[in-house]
Amino acid sequence: MRVPLSWLREYVDLAADATPEDVLAAMVTVGFEEEDVHRFEISGPVVVGQVVSLEGEPQSNGKTINWCQVDVGEANGGIRGIVCGAHNFVAGDKVVVTLPGAVLPGPFPIAARKTYGHVSDGMIASARELGLGDEHNGILVLADLGIDAPVGTDAIALLGLDDVAVEINVTPDRGYAFSLRGVAREYSHATGAAFRDPAERDFAELQPGTGHTAVVDDTAPIRGRSGASEFVTRVVRGVDPSRPTPPWMIARLSLAGMRSLGILIDITNYVMLELGQPLHGYDLDKLAGGITVRRAAVGEKMTTLDGQERTLHTEDLLITDESGPIGLAGVMGGGTTEMSDTTHNVLIEAATFDPITIARTARRHKLPSEASKRFERGVDPLVPFVAARRAADLMVELAGGTLADEGGALFAEIFVADIELPRGFVQGLIGVDYTDAEIEGALTTIGAEVTEADAGWTVIPPTWRPDLTDKWSLAEEVARIHGLDRIPSVLPTPPSGRGLTAHQQGRRRVADALAAAGLVETPSFPFTTESENDLHGSASGEHVPSIRIANPLDGSAPFLRRSLIPGLLQTAHRNISRGLTDLALFETGVVFLPQPGVEYGTDEVPPLGARPSDETLAALNASIPPQHRHVAVLLTGNIIARQPGRAAEPAGLSEALDAARVIAAAAGVDIDVVQGQRAALHPGRTGVLSVGDVEVGYVGELHPDVAAGADLPGRATVLEIDLDGILALADSRAVAASLSTFPAATQDVSLVLGADVPAGAVRAALVEGAGALLEAIRLVDDYRGEGLSEGEKSLTFALRFRADDRTLTAAEATEAKLAGVAVASERFGATLRD
């Protein structure tokens, strides 16, 4: 909201030396955000001059210029010669002269310069050149504005161009501040300056007369609220639309961000900015019969003031006469009854429309307007009578009209619900020890009626504050009025048992551990294609159920993902295309796993503004597919870059398995890997990850066709684990292992067995047989070649033994090792390699 300071001074005592920065600082203290300061980009000398003579001089280019002698006053050099190309003035007219040294908006500096054979010692300005509007049909003749100022008068002050406006950001819940009335009131709250309400008028003079009462025929109200609860009309006859808008009004409208569009429209805009009540003016002679407010019919159309024909929705609220729609209520008028240069009789409309109706219409038609911005936030229901009379008075004063005893008023009883404010509630919520007098004073200051009750106060909010609906909003007002700087900046002591859940802590540990291991987290959108879900969402690549989004952001990816791998592939492709070829990426995120044969989603959307019932919430939750949080890793390129004395080391399965172990350690589980198969992964280079007997994920090298399809130039290794699953399998308590002070005994064991026996199964057999003395085991070699029979392999494991209470002998370590070999031999026929 832009607020010209000269206008603000009319309704609140603003210090004569108050700067725009002072005003903004005051508004910040009552909860507004400062945005900017706006000024006319003009500086003097700009004075009133009188044309003494002018001589037309035809030019070779076909133009005729005027060589003028203009009196600008003795103090400004007397009579000056000025070249002017306009022809809408005569000798004796008083005009605005910009003298050398002046700067006009643009910026456009003025200097004496030779043109058309003369030295033009200044410039006679038009309204557009001064920043007073878009009119550029000729120079600004002061008599046309009703101004007869002495020659040499400072024209900047005369035309209001020395005014300045402050701009504040108005939050959606404080629509009353979209008016000078509301801003002046808030400035009064901030500074204690006296406030004069422009809406205070004798109710008797606000009565609009008869003959033009509107009819509201709303057969389909939204949420039971009539589209129009108040509709006031007044008639002004005999207006002269050709009269100029006074410079002070043009200057204020311009600083407020509005163009001058003619005296009649300027008046309705001016009153809207002043009181916050949007108005609309109709050419009374173009109306056909009486006004009816109704909802649009199916397929109905109308042409709005911007010349666009619009197909209407049955929720749209219309202003109609016997000819059909003449306006989109609260948004924009229609072209058939608009005020124009031929208008002589005006019907002024001031109404109160349903905020939800107006908001939906404005968004549906992509037609935001100054009127809809105010209606959708709620306007003061007591102001329409005042606004209609104020506009009528200005049309009488400035447009030469006559206020007729005609009009109409349709209104309903205004009811504002009271709010119970318990004593002590404000102090407990805000954290400041306000006295009862401070609380009552703050609420009275904002215009509320406060009555003391047994347990506190009964508060009736003012009609211009529809945002005050409960005790919490009242507490906020107390804090705002008495200064937000009084609220202490103290961290509260958290109650016992609060904070992150064990599950949340586990997810953070996993992400932190992967980042600490050198991987980069790359979150991606959860949208993909059905074919990607089939390929990566199942082991066999067969078709699996997927959730399709009703309104996808990207029409080519309308499904919710079943796997994190497609997102990582897109991220890798994007980085590789930009020259980053060595990548170690990970993501934690939700995947969507609908069950076959189950219908998800619902067409039943509960209404806003009310909490759904438990049954409705249960039905909504049942309509959502299972959502599991996964963690996935992608490695491609080199894990160690080439450097002097060392060749590059490409990332592969070994590094992917290391990442799996990092995840397992952070989650608090032990993960086993056995060979497996997946459609998207390379045959023979795929592993299934398990915790105990529960499969929790997979690891492997991407199939070459899949890598090529993702535009990856080399090998890529991936893993994906059900993070929720492994956290559920983890022990809820993390127990730190004790550190033995006794030395370890290390031995190796090489076993010969069938090539089809998984190394993980052999490792598990050795662990089981070796017992508690085995502290660590690691596969160090998988040999297949000379010295072994066809179909055999040799697996070598490094073993580390340690006892908690003694130093192990070599014999004890060997006995434990052979016990493990015995189990492996029993299960797989393994023999010690010579």
Side-chain angles (χ1 to χ4, degrees), residues 146-218:
I147 297 176
D148 185 15
V151 170
T153 300
D154 180 7
I156 293 179
L158 179 69
L159 299 176
L161 300 178
D162 58 345
D163 202 359
V164 60
V166 296
E167 183 177 1
I168 57 174
N169 180 35
V170 178
T171 53
D173 60 329
R174 300 172 73 179
Y176 67 94
F178 277 119
S179 68
L180 268 294
R181 180 194 185 208
V183 174
R185 189 190 303 274
E186 288 297 329
Y187 184 81
S188 172
H189 297 341
T191 63
F195 168 68
R196 296 171 291 279
D197 191 350
E200 284 190 2
R201 297 189 64 164
D202 183 2
F203 188 72
E205 67 179 6
L206 301 179
Q207 300 309 303
T210 59
H212 293 279
T213 301
V215 175
V216 175
D217 183 21
D218 188 0

Side-chain angles (χ1 to χ4, degrees), residues 571-573 575-576 580-585 634-639 651:
T571 302
H573 168 67
N575 280 270
I576 290 172
L580 304 175
T581 57
D582 299 332
L583 302 173
L585 311 177
L634 183 145
L635 305 172
T636 187
N638 295 321
I639 197 69

Side-chain angles (χ1 to χ4, degrees), residues 511-535:
D512 290 346
L514 287 172
L519 285 81
V520 177
E521 186 172 12
T522 58
S524 61
F525 288 117
F527 313 122
T528 188
T529 64
E530 190 172 29
S531 60
E532 290 287 336
N533 270 343
D534 293 343
L535 178 62

Side-chain angles (χ1 to χ4, degrees), residues 72-394:
V72 294
E74 291 298 327
N76 297 306
I79 296 177
R80 296 190 182 224
I82 299 176
V83 173
C84 183
H87 301 280
N88 65 319
F89 64 102
V90 297
D93 281 343
K94 289 185 176 179
V95 295
V96 177
V97 180
T98 58
L99 300 176
V103 179
L104 298 183
F108 178 43
I110 304 300
R113 63 189 182 94
K114 187 173 183 179
T115 180
Y116 294 109
H118 301 280
V119 175
S120 185
D121 201 13
M123 186 181 79
I124 304 175
S126 68
R128 187 169 71 176
E129 290 164 339
L130 293 170
L132 284 174
D134 295 331
E135 185 64 39
H136 198 57
N137 294 329
I139 65 168
L140 183 65
V141 178
L142 293 179
D144 292 342
L145 302 179
I147 297 176
D148 185 15
V151 170
T153 300
D154 180 7
I156 293 179
L158 179 69
L159 299 176
L161 300 178
D162 58 345
D163 202 359
V164 60
V166 296
E167 183 177 1
I168 57 174
N169 180 35
V170 178
T171 53
D173 60 329
R174 300 172 73 179
Y176 67 94
F178 277 119
S179 68
L180 268 294
R181 180 194 185 208
V183 174
R185 189 190 303 274
E186 288 297 329
Y187 184 81
S188 172
H189 297 341
T191 63
F195 168 68
R196 296 171 291 279
D197 191 350
E200 284 190 2
R201 297 189 64 164
D202 183 2
F203 188 72
E205 67 179 6
L206 301 179
Q207 300 309 303
T210 59
H212 293 279
T213 301
V215 175
V216 175
D217 183 21
D218 188 0
T219 58
I222 296 178
R223 299 185 189 171
R225 294 185 58 175
S226 174
S229 58
E230 196 168 1
F231 203 98
V232 179
T233 60
R234 297 205 77 126
V235 174
V236 180
R237 293 189 177 272
V239 297
D240 180 3
S242 66
R243 285 199 179 187
T245 302
W248 57 265
M249 181 176 284
I250 295 177
R252 288 180 175 181
L253 289 173
S254 179
L255 282 174
M258 288 188 165
R259 295 184 298 117
S260 176
L261 299 172
I263 183 62
L264 300 179
I265 297 176
D266 287 350
I267 286 173
T268 58
N269 286 337
Y270 186 85
V271 175
M272 178 186 67
L273 292 172
E274 183 177 69
L275 298 174
Q277 171 66 53
L279 300 174
H280 188 70
Y282 301 91
D283 188 325
L284 182 60
D285 298 324
K286 295 179 182 178
L287 286 173
I291 289 179
T292 299
V293 183
R294 62 171 174 82
R295 301 283 173 177
V298 176
E300 195 167 11
K301 297 181 179 181
M302 73 164 290
T303 302
T304 47
L305 283 174
D306 56 3
Q308 298 293 318
E309 184 180 64
R310 302 182 183 276
T311 300
L312 305 175
H313 188 277
T314 53
E315 281 189 355
D316 292 335
L317 192 68
L318 302 180
I319 311 298
T320 67
D321 63 6
E322 293 178 0
S323 68
I326 58 174
L328 268 176
V331 179
M332 183 174 285
T336 58
T337 57
E338 67 175 316
M339 296 184 294
S340 66
D341 294 341
T342 62
T343 298
H344 296 292
N345 301 305
V346 177
L347 178 74
I348 301 169
E349 165 208 304
T352 301
F353 296 119
D354 173 43
I356 295 176
T357 295
I358 304 306
R360 290 184 180 181
T361 295
R363 285 158 179 75
R364 184 181 299 117
H365 295 284
K366 296 180 175 61
L367 196 60
S369 64
E370 291 293 328
S372 66
K373 180 167 65 176
R374 289 163 173 81
F375 277 126
E376 66 189 24
R377 288 165 171 79
V379 299
D380 187 351
L382 296 181
V383 166
F385 284 88
V386 179
R389 178 56 190 262
R390 172 66 166 150
D393 290 344
L394 288 174

